[in-house]
Amino acid sequence: MDDFEGCRTSVEEVTADVVERARELELEEEPEYVIELLQSHDETLTDEELFLMDERRKWFLEMESTPGEGAVKIVEMRKEHQSTASSASLNCTFRLLSVEELCISVAELTCVPSIPLKSGRENLRQLFRQGYNKQVTSLQRRARCWRIYRRRHNYWSQQATSQQQQDRESLRSDAHVDMQARYAPYAIPSCHRRGNFQEQEETHVNKETEQKPPERRMERNRQDETLGSWFKIRIPFGIKYDEKWLLNLIQKQCSVPFTPVEFHYEKMQAQFFVENANIAFALKNVNGKIYNEANERISIFVDPCDAPHSVLKELRSEKVEQIKLPVKEQYDASQQSLDIQRVRSDPGLMTRDTGMARNPRNGMAASLQIHPGNMPKVKSAGEMDKGERLEPEGMCADRNPLCTTFPDKSTNISSILELFSKLLTLDGRETSPLAKCGTEACKRLPTCKGSYFGSDELKNLVLRFLQQYYLIYDYGDRQGLAGAYHEEACFSLTIPFHPEDPAPSSLCEYFKD
Amino acid sequence: MAKPMDFKIYVDQACRAAEEFVSIYYETMDKRRQALTRLYLDKATLVWNGNVVTGLEALTKFFDTLPSSEFQVNMLDCQPVHEQATQSQATVLVVTSGTVKFDGNRQHYFNQNFLLTAQSTPDIVWKIASDCFRFQDWGSS
């Protein structure tokens, strides 16, 4: 397979947006439609072609779901390569494919493996998913085609040239197009036309197709009940819009007031977080209801996510106070032990939204960062965390269900030992010094400190001496320094000597022959 | 008062001992870290970038925590310390300078001085009584 050199930006954008939209549609169980676009990778898209892409994108977005029909009609659009310099024309071939034909043709293409034909809908759904995976990998090399899978029967017409008149008979035009008004909407300089799309696509795909971690799944299920879950809101091509303007616009359409957290632009998108599932749901409904100044629809996508970094930091510092009390209460002075499990289930803690229940790691980090003065010396902990500062001397890892992320016990243990370098006992057994540091890399240099005097007496003596000495050295008659020396004192002097650069230095008379 | 000739011999001896000592010290530090404390007196003190370490036990622990090192000594200075200062205990001051790279950290220029003292029982062995080590750029991480 050839190497992919880089999809042109407009195509990337279109694809990204369409793919996202398709994904969402699939998630929403709307009828899907399949459109396959084959494009030669060698050519440069002209303005008209860009416009065409844009039109298609709009068409996808403006699609209304049609009642389900038995037969699924698929449109294949193939763009002929124009070798001439003409930039105005675009040859398009339209042909209706049946599901079977599509599957065959798809299977022939290198990007998607052949799939036995089952029911049309299910099959294409599979293709849809698989197409993503393959799409990602193929786009990382030079792919000859990219495809978007949707199932719907509708077509575009006005883009066809006169050659396709007869095909046009069977096509219905749905979109209301004003060619002049929407010309070249993506004013992206050519220097930006590089692989952004690939990375973006990959993250989306990976998110979707990887097995979701249990926490994610749980969060999704609990969406409606749990407050305090975090959601990432993405606006494709949001980089075009001013932050205030965009947020205002969204708020106008949104049935509930929302507070955007960490608004930022990431590649082509505008992104922010919201904390509430209800808000996230309301924002999702805004999708497709807002328009920009050119009267183009703005999409909004909502995904569950972990709390944003700024919030995590906040949790650690501000909510540490809230955790101190239950931690103190759970501390067993006789045993000098703190059962972190019990801290987590402390009723006092549960009533406050410290985020500990949702994400115990946050709570752990927070509780372990409590200043030692506020908390008695901890000798054991039930959970490990990367952010901790306290150094427990003993740990019981066995009891803790969260210590199961590692493939085997020994990896688990060595990781624990790496994190808690002062551990003396683990699960009641002593740790050996060798086990403490699996790799050299975990050894850190002691922090460098300032002057060390030994005692205050010495300090005063030495400082006074040095002060006088250098005062004379710098400003006084240096002969006076002789008085500081013992009669039989030794003096040695280091002179930098560079054989390559034998410029005479004032100290050269000290060089021996 | 020692005669000049004696003094010169004395100094030469001291310097030779010091040179030998220094090469052993840094090689042991780099390649056989666990044996390093054998070069220190029982009650020796080390001040490492402002961190004080006293006694063999503490020194052993301390050197254990340091990552593996690669020392290069560029300069070596040694002087016999006047007997008046040391109550006739033969002592040599050794000053070294060079570069060091600890595993996982960047290279630093360092300065180090040792006070070596001769322990005569059972044989004459030079041991470190005092050690002071510092990165030249200790103030910046």
Side-chain angles (χ1 to χ4, degrees), chain A residues 246-414:
Chain A
L246 182 63
L247 292 172
N248 267 341
L249 187 67
I250 296 171
Q251 185 67 87
K252 276 189 213 158
Q253 285 296 327
C254 185
S255 51
V256 297
F258 69 92
T259 317
V261 173
E262 268 189 46
F263 183 97
H264 63 283
Y265 296 103
E266 200 172 292
K267 294 175 186 160
M268 301 295 296
Q269 294 183 345
Q271 295 181 359
F272 60 91
F273 298 91
V274 291
E275 196 177 354
N276 188 304
N278 297 331
I279 292 176
F281 192 70
L283 284 172
K284 204 173 189 184
N285 286 333
V286 175
N287 183 22
K289 292 184 185 156
I290 49 173
Y291 296 84
N292 67 8
E293 281 153 344
N295 216 27
E296 297 161 343
R297 199 169 290 197
I298 299 176
S299 313
I300 298 182
F301 297 111
V302 177
D303 297 295
C305 65
D306 289 329
H309 294 296
S310 59
V311 170
L312 284 175
K313 266 190 213 162
E314 215 184 76
L315 171 75
R316 285 176 193 194
S317 56
E318 289 177 17
K319 295 185 177 176
V320 161
E321 292 300 319
Q322 294 182 14
I323 293 166
K324 273 184 199 171
L325 186 59
V327 165
K328 255 189 185 158
E329 282 168 1
Q330 293 298 339
Y331 177 71
D332 180 358
S334 60
Q335 295 281 319
Q336 278 194 301
S337 75
L338 176 70
D339 189 340
I340 304 284
Q341 294 268 51
R342 304 250 297 271
V343 171
R344 275 176 55 208
S345 48
D346 181 275
L349 199 57
M350 293 305 270
T351 55
R352 297 178 218 118
D353 181 21
T354 56
M356 264 186 99
R358 268 199 325 279
N359 192 343
R361 272 197 279 266
N362 295 346
M364 286 326 303
S367 61
L368 287 171
Q369 279 179 20
I370 294 169
H371 191 276
N374 287 318
M375 209 173 83
K377 186 163 189 218
V378 173
K379 277 213 172 159
S380 75
E383 187 177 28
M384 68 172 208
D385 193 284
K386 280 194 177 165
E388 79 283 350
R389 301 249 178 85
L390 284 180
E391 295 285 3
E393 286 177 14
M395 260 183 81
C396 285
D398 282 349
R399 284 191 282 120
N400 191 330
L402 285 175
C403 280
T404 52
T405 52
F406 292 87
D408 57 274
K409 188 168 182 178
S410 59
T411 320
N412 199 7
I413 289 175
S414 54

Side-chain angles (χ1 to χ4, degrees), chain A residues 440 447 449-450 486 488 492, chain B residues 1 49 51 79 82 84 134:
Chain A
E440 277 287 302
T447 42
K449 298 176 186 163
H486 187 274
E488 292 163 21
S492 59
Chain B
M1 182 137 79
N49 277 310
N51 296 287
Q79 289 182 10
H82 199 282
Q84 234 178 5
R134 209 176 256 282

Side-chain angles (χ1 to χ4, degrees), chain A residues 433 440-441 443-452 486-494, chain B residues 1 7 48-52 62 64 66-68 75 77 79 82 84 102-103 105 134 138:
Chain A
E440 277 287 302
K443 285 184 179 177
R444 279 199 204 111
L445 291 179
T447 42
C448 298
K449 298 176 186 163
S451 306
Y452 173 73
H486 187 274
E487 269 180 32
E488 292 163 21
C490 287
F491 179 90
S492 59
L493 174 72
T494 304
Chain B
M1 182 137 79
F7 179 73
W48 196 93
N49 277 310
N51 296 287
V52 190
F62 180 80
D64 217 16
L66 285 185
S68 60
M75 184 280 291
D77 234 348
Q79 289 182 10
H82 199 282
Q84 234 178 5
F102 287 102
D103 211 19
N105 294 268
R134 209 176 256 282
W138 63 272

